[in-house]
Amino acid sequence: MHTQRMAVSVSVLALLTLAACGTESGSGSGSGDGSDTVQSDVPVTGVAWSVDSLTVGGKKTEAPEGSRLEIDPKGRAKAGFGCNHIGADARVEGDRITFGKPVSTQMACDETTEKAEKAALAAMDGEVTAKLSGEKLTLTTEGGDTIALSEEKPAGLVGTRWAVDTLLSGETATSVPADLPKERVPHLTFGEDGTVHGNSGCNSFHGKAAVEGSTIDFGPPAGTRKMCPEAEMEVERAVLAALDGPATYTIKGSTLTVTSKDGKGIGATAAPTKSEGTQEHG
């Protein structure tokens, strides 16, 4: 029974990755190399999707928590599984999607996640059919298995506890180590009063964060000054570099991306906010 449940979970993640490589909208025709915006009969570009359920071999199974995807309007697909990040080019013709060779970051993951990622990478070589109905998307594989997805509504910037899971440097994305102590996983929360507070990977911090349009102007942070193991300090330095001065931000579903003027940035996922919300500084 345990083996069957694992197989279903792996199938969910594999199909999730296929979905992430999926349908694009826009004008013009694309080569799938990310240089052109591609045309699709199924317009799902710029939408964050959560996976509702998967039907494999005629059996419907609820998708695991956190199964999400994002579709790039220029033919670039991205998927994450809590450890590495997978990306691939995608060529769309009508409701059919053809995938290019997938690439992945090379973080060491737990055994279950690693097996799921390998299955996902192997699955990104072929075609799926996409069907959109309102805010629901259904993907069907060549073998007839299906996955049902729903559009995620954007989380609010203010008041949401954002757990940092990705470190950005120009075009390079690096996963935050999955084995960080729970209390040192970086996170931040923006307040109604133009402040931000959280933990940068080792130390807690708070500071000014003036939001205007799609820009956040971060003031110098104040906080504790503990020393931690080098892996945690490295994460902290990267997080603080992204929260330094003017930065742009986007929110797609439950995903926040913050990018500073020098290309340093973070990716974060919305998490439940504590009852005391933005009034704590830890």
Side-chain angles (χ1 to χ4, degrees):
M1 190 68 168
H2 176 74
T3 301
Q4 183 178 12
R5 293 181 74 180
M6 180 175 288
V8 170
S9 295
V10 169
S11 297
V12 170
L13 291 172
L15 282 171
L16 171 60
T17 306
L18 288 174
C21 296
T23 55
E24 312 294 4
S25 68
S27 59
S29 59
S31 61
D33 63 1
S35 60
D36 299 298
T37 302
V38 294
Q39 180 85 23
S40 172
D41 293 342
V42 186
V44 295
T45 297
V47 178
W49 298 95
S50 61
V51 181
D52 298 326
S53 64
L54 171 73
T55 301
V56 177
K59 182 178 180 181
K60 183 177 180 180
T61 304
E62 295 302 312
E65 184 73 21
S67 298
R68 298 183 176 94
L69 64 95
E70 179 183 336
I71 302 167
D72 190 301
K74 292 186 176 181
R76 188 69 183 170
K78 300 177 182 178
F81 305 96
C83 184
N84 283 298
H85 295 266
I86 296 174
D89 294 329
R91 183 179 183 85
V92 180
E93 295 177 324
D95 61 352
R96 303 288 290 178
I97 306 111
T98 304
F99 313 107
K101 182 177 177 59
V103 295
S104 173
T105 53
Q106 300 296 317
M107 292 288 296
C109 312
D110 63 86
E111 184 178 356
T112 301
T113 302
E114 185 175 348
K115 288 181 179 179
E117 289 181 348
K118 287 181 178 179
L121 286 167
M124 293 172 64
D125 183 18
E127 295 183 338
V128 297
T129 301
K131 182 179 180 181
L132 187 66
S133 178
E135 297 178 350
K136 301 289 185 178
L137 175 67
T138 302
L139 300 173
T140 305
T141 68
E142 290 286 317
D145 294 335
T146 62
I147 184 169
L149 308 98
S150 295
E151 179 181 351
E152 285 189 351
K153 299 303 182 185
L157 176 68
V158 173
T160 299
R161 187 178 191 272
W162 297 101
V164 179
D165 50 32
T166 308
L167 306 176
L168 306 172
S169 180
E171 297 297 318
T172 303
T174 305
S175 299
V176 170
D179 58 354
L180 284 181
K182 185 177 180 180
E183 69 276 9
R184 291 175 184 165
V185 174
H187 62 85
L188 60 157
T189 303
F190 294 91
E192 294 280 2
D193 56 354
T195 62
V196 62
H197 73 272
N199 187 291
S200 49
C202 174
N203 291 282
S204 59
F205 73 94
H206 62 274
K208 296 293 185 181
V211 180
E212 183 175 352
S214 60
T215 300
I216 305 173
D217 192 0
F218 293 98
T224 57
R225 297 183 179 274
K226 297 180 295 183
M227 293 299 294
C228 297
E230 179 57 26
E232 295 161 30
M233 297 303 295
E234 186 176 347
V235 169
E236 176 162 282
R237 286 190 290 269
V239 170
L240 292 178
L243 309 181
D244 181 17
T248 58
Y249 81 93
T250 60
I251 297 176
K252 294 182 180 179
S254 60
T255 301
L256 167 70
T257 302
V258 177
T259 309
S260 67
K261 58 185 178 182
D262 62 359
K264 304 294 184 181
I266 57 171
T269 301
T273 305
K274 294 182 178 181
S275 59
E276 58 266 40
T278 58
Q279 297 185 14
E280 65 165 340
H281 293 282

